[in-house]
Amino acid sequence: MAVLTALIFPFSVVVFAAVLTPRHASALTRQDFPERFVFGAGSSAYQVEGAAAEDGRRPSIWDTFTHQGYSFDGTTADVSADQYHHYKDDVKLMHKMGLDAYRFSIAWPRLIPDGRGKINPKGLEYYNNLIDELILHGIQPHVTIYHFDLPQVLQDEYGGLLSPRFMMCCSEDYTAYADACFQSFGDRVKHWVTVNEPNIEPIGGYDTGSNPPRRCSYPLGADCTGGNSSTEPYIVAHHLLLAHASAVSLYREKYKATQGGQMGITLLGWWHEPATNTVQDAAAAVRMNDFHIGWFMYPLVYGDYPPVMRSRVGDRLPSFTAQESEKVCESFDFVGFNHYLIMRVRSIGTGSSQNPVDYYGDAAVEYPSKDISKGEVETAPWSLGKLLEHLKLSYGNPPVWIHENGYADAAAGEAEYDGDDHDRAEFLQDYVEALYLSIRNGSDARGYFVWSFMDVFEYLFGYSMRFGLCGVDMNSQGRTRYERSSARWYSGFLHGGELRPIAQSQKSLVE
Ligand SMILES: *[C@@H]1O[C@H](CO)[C@@H](O)[C@H](O)[C@H]1NC(C)=O
Ligand SMILES: *[C@@H]1O[C@H](CO)[C@@H](O)[C@H](O)[C@H]1NC(C)=O
């Protein structure tokens, strides 16, 4: 039985009166975007840096996982694109491309290799150099503090994200690490993301067990040595949310007045649509958007989990004390979204006490059998519009950064890294147009980052999937970089060139 979500709006949504002007004749340029709108591209530390065992860096849970052979192609990010040694050349490329901003993350196991305590001087030096180089070239650093790479030592010592130790305020490990970041880099970094994709890390790591630290329980996940898929994902998400709020409180109390930066959190922004036109599936899609997006947005805006999660997950869903609720509520200046896919969902029956349920069981949905690992995915630019419209109507139109959006190629042949990728350029133009239309329609989008600036290690997919504007020859000693044609397209646009006219879009902008 499907329960329709009742979203409550305690404050009225301000909708800017905006008239959509058809622009058949002229094409978009970046001048059509708001004055301070930022265009960038991104990466994350584990995916791009390499130098995994150099200059005092210690393993993260992802090093352990890849060294056990769990990426689909059996690779690791020990070297990857080796940005650790090539950051100067990379910043030159970014400058040539015309990026306003570079989104990257700090590796906790490089800056504080033991998880807490002493700062590694070599790690500090690396990030200082990278940040200085960016600023020297007029590129804003947008920095993620935690992007999946938890120090393995904290996993071993107390169970990492599952432990209350991860989130307890101020003296505890994540907040102390965030404090070190603000103190070391906050004079130059004005955009901070506390946590990347906290709405998927608990699923991969603690429900299906497909990602580190590979915890799950049978039959919900397979091949795990421990875990509880019915409870742990919710606990881990709760800890990530409280850790986020704790870092934001700390920043506001100790650094905001002098450093004047903005703080946010970045969610994975799958957009769920019904698999069929039944009312059950329509309700399932609404429910799943609440489980996926509302899991974090609802507490951030209203101070508690969405009512549909409260009623379906019951006492397996952690509760907030009044003090925690107050701390979480409005603990952001912006929210980031990584938007790629449309996910079709089907409604299924709910579990019983004989059949334990996980997150998807609680949501009473299943995904039809597309195999994401084989690239069987659905994308269309209108889903970005729907996501932004949803944030506008359900969550008070927060300032939003599209922190990731991009197009994957399979890494097929030898020459692929410098090949023409017109499909990617087309794809990105479609989304830039969709974003423009949402802004015209009142969404408060502040920036757009292409994933990824260059080819990187794509987590589970290793090097078998490439998203880079710049290609990287992962087999060459110096990890040679190549400008793909999408890089030339983006560069042209960023230097004032026209997007091809809207009328020529390859894909429809509305469903
Ligand atoms: C998971 O936790 C729930 C709630 O504590 C418990 O009822 C269930 O038996 C646990 N499952 C496993 C596989 O340990
Ligand atoms: C534009 O915004 C209005 C008000 O929120 C909404 O009703 C409409 O569906 C939006 N249009 C698009 C194309 O998103």
Side-chain angles (χ1 to χ4, degrees):
M1 192 200 62
V3 178
L4 273 166
T5 313
L7 284 175
I8 303 151
F9 311 122
F11 51 83
S12 64
V13 176
V14 180
V15 178
F16 300 98
V19 183
L20 277 176
T21 319
R23 300 177 56 92
H24 296 303
S26 61
L28 285 181
T29 71
R30 63 174 304 170
Q31 269 66 52
D32 294 304
F33 284 79
E35 192 174 324
R36 273 198 280 274
F37 194 86
V38 168
F39 284 99
S43 72
S44 88
Y46 179 63
Q47 292 176 274
V48 77
E49 284 177 2
E54 247 178 272
D55 289 346
R57 182 188 181 277
R58 293 185 65 192
S60 74
I61 56 175
W62 268 94
D63 293 276
T64 307
F65 179 84
T66 57
H67 278 263
Q68 290 167 346
Y70 286 113
S71 62
F72 297 156
D73 62 356
T75 56
T76 74
D78 287 0
V79 182
S80 188
D82 201 20
Q83 188 162 79
Y84 189 75
H85 294 111
H86 296 280
Y87 71 92
K88 283 197 174 179
D89 292 335
D90 290 346
V91 173
K92 275 199 194 77
L93 271 176
M94 292 171 205
H95 179 65
K96 185 176 164 218
M97 195 182 280
L99 297 189
D100 300 325
Y102 180 48
R103 172 179 182 252
F104 63 96
S105 76
I106 291 173
W108 186 347
R110 191 183 297 288
L111 191 66
I112 305 183
D114 297 330
R116 65 167 160 287
K118 266 197 12 259
I119 290 184
N120 169 19
K122 285 288 196 184
L124 182 67
E125 186 186 326
Y126 173 68
Y127 294 111
N128 271 326
N129 287 343
L130 173 61
I131 291 165
D132 287 345
E133 197 69 14
L134 287 166
I135 287 177
L136 187 69
H137 286 82
I139 300 168
Q140 305 167 13
H142 287 230
V143 178
T144 307
I145 296 169
Y146 175 64
H147 196 124
F148 302 155
D149 49 357
L150 188 77
Q152 180 66 43
V153 61
L154 299 186
Q155 188 67 41
D156 296 341
E157 189 185 316
Y158 56 72
L161 307 183
L162 196 57
S163 165
R165 178 107 188 231
F166 181 74
M167 56 100 183
M168 287 174 60
C169 176
C170 303
S171 62
E172 294 298 337
D173 299 338
Y174 170 80
T175 314
Y177 162 55
D179 197 356
C181 292
F182 302 144
Q183 187 160 5
S184 308
F185 312 119
D187 56 335
R188 289 151 293 159
V189 174
K190 302 303 168 195
H191 297 86
W192 293 103
V193 168
T194 54
V195 184
N196 180 67
E197 296 185 0
N199 57 338
I200 201 68
E201 185 173 14
I203 307 299
Y206 295 84
D207 182 345
T208 62
S210 54
N211 293 21
R214 297 184 57 248
R215 287 179 67 81
C216 63
S217 56
Y218 187 80
L220 300 162
D223 190 28
C224 292
T225 49
N228 187 333
S229 300
S230 305
T231 54
E232 290 184 1
Y234 298 112
I235 297 169
V236 166
H238 194 69
H239 290 170
L240 285 168
L241 192 53
L242 292 174
H244 153 82
S246 172
V248 173
S249 298
L250 174 78
Y251 188 81
R252 287 178 175 170
E253 281 157 26
K254 199 167 155 190
Y255 297 101
K256 177 92 181 175
T258 49
Q259 299 185 349
Q262 304 272 306
M263 299 277 303
I265 188 166
T266 295
L267 306 180
L268 179 61
W270 282 341
W271 182 250
H272 293 89
E273 286 282 320
T276 70
N277 59 11
T278 62
V279 291
Q280 287 81 2
D281 286 358
V286 170
R287 219 160 49 227
M288 198 56 219
N289 282 323
D290 286 344
F291 267 73
H292 180 65
I293 296 166
W295 197 4
F296 284 80
M297 282 309 295
Y298 212 92
L300 288 169
V301 175
Y302 305 112
D304 195 7
Y305 291 115
V308 68
M309 290 187 76
R310 278 263 162 255
S311 69
R312 290 182 160 259
V313 186
D315 61 9
R316 285 175 291 113
L317 191 64
S319 35
F320 297 98
T321 65
Q323 203 191 3
E324 285 168 347
S325 168
E326 197 180 317
K327 195 162 158 184
V328 164
C329 193
E330 294 177 17
S331 61
F332 63 93
D333 302 310
F334 64 83
V335 285
F337 275 87
N338 298 341
H339 178 68
Y340 297 91
L341 303 181
I342 296 165
M343 301 292 276
R344 299 271 167 191
V345 289
R346 257 200 296 263
S347 181
I348 58 168
T350 42
S352 62
S353 50
Q354 283 74 40
N355 295 312
V357 287
D358 64 351
Y359 170 79
Y360 297 109
D362 286 327
V365 304
E366 66 179 10
Y367 293 108
S369 55
K370 275 206 161 82
D371 190 344
I372 296 185
S373 70
K374 296 203 182 97
E376 292 171 13
V377 296
E378 181 180 353
T379 62
W382 53 258
S383 64
L384 177 59
K386 284 204 172 184
L387 172 64
L388 289 168
E389 191 63 18
H390 178 65
L391 295 171
K392 188 168 85 182
L393 296 179
S394 301
Y395 298 108
N397 204 22
V400 176
W401 293 76
I402 301 305
H403 271 149
E404 295 182 18
N405 175 236
Y407 179 93
D409 280 336
E414 291 291 295
E416 197 273 335
Y417 44 75
D418 62 346
D420 277 339
D421 59 343
H422 294 294
D423 289 353
R424 176 173 288 113
E426 285 298 326
F427 177 98
L428 296 172
Q429 291 181 81
D430 286 339
Y431 283 81
V432 169
E433 280 171 6
L435 183 56
Y436 167 79
L437 293 176
S438 293
I439 294 169
R440 289 290 301 241
N441 202 29
S443 284
D444 192 5
R446 304 286 176 95
Y448 174 84
F449 289 75
V450 175
W451 183 270
S452 48
F453 171 67
M454 58 172 51
D455 289 343
V456 298
F457 174 83
E458 279 299 337
Y459 287 114
L460 285 177
F461 302 99
Y463 303 104
S464 66
M465 223 181 235
R466 307 242 179 150
F467 284 85
L469 292 164
C470 296
V472 178
D473 178 359
M474 296 289 178
N475 296 314
S476 69
Q477 189 66 35
R479 296 300 190 272
T480 316
R481 278 86 164 119
Y482 295 85
E483 230 174 26
R484 291 199 170 107
S485 49
S486 60
R488 289 190 288 274
W489 160 71
Y490 200 37
S491 180
F493 175 69
L494 295 181
H495 285 100
E498 292 189 344
L499 219 58
R500 45 135 169 72
I502 283 183
Q504 290 173 22
S505 291
Q506 301 289 301
K507 288 180 188 142
S508 67
L509 291 168
V510 290
E511 201 179 1

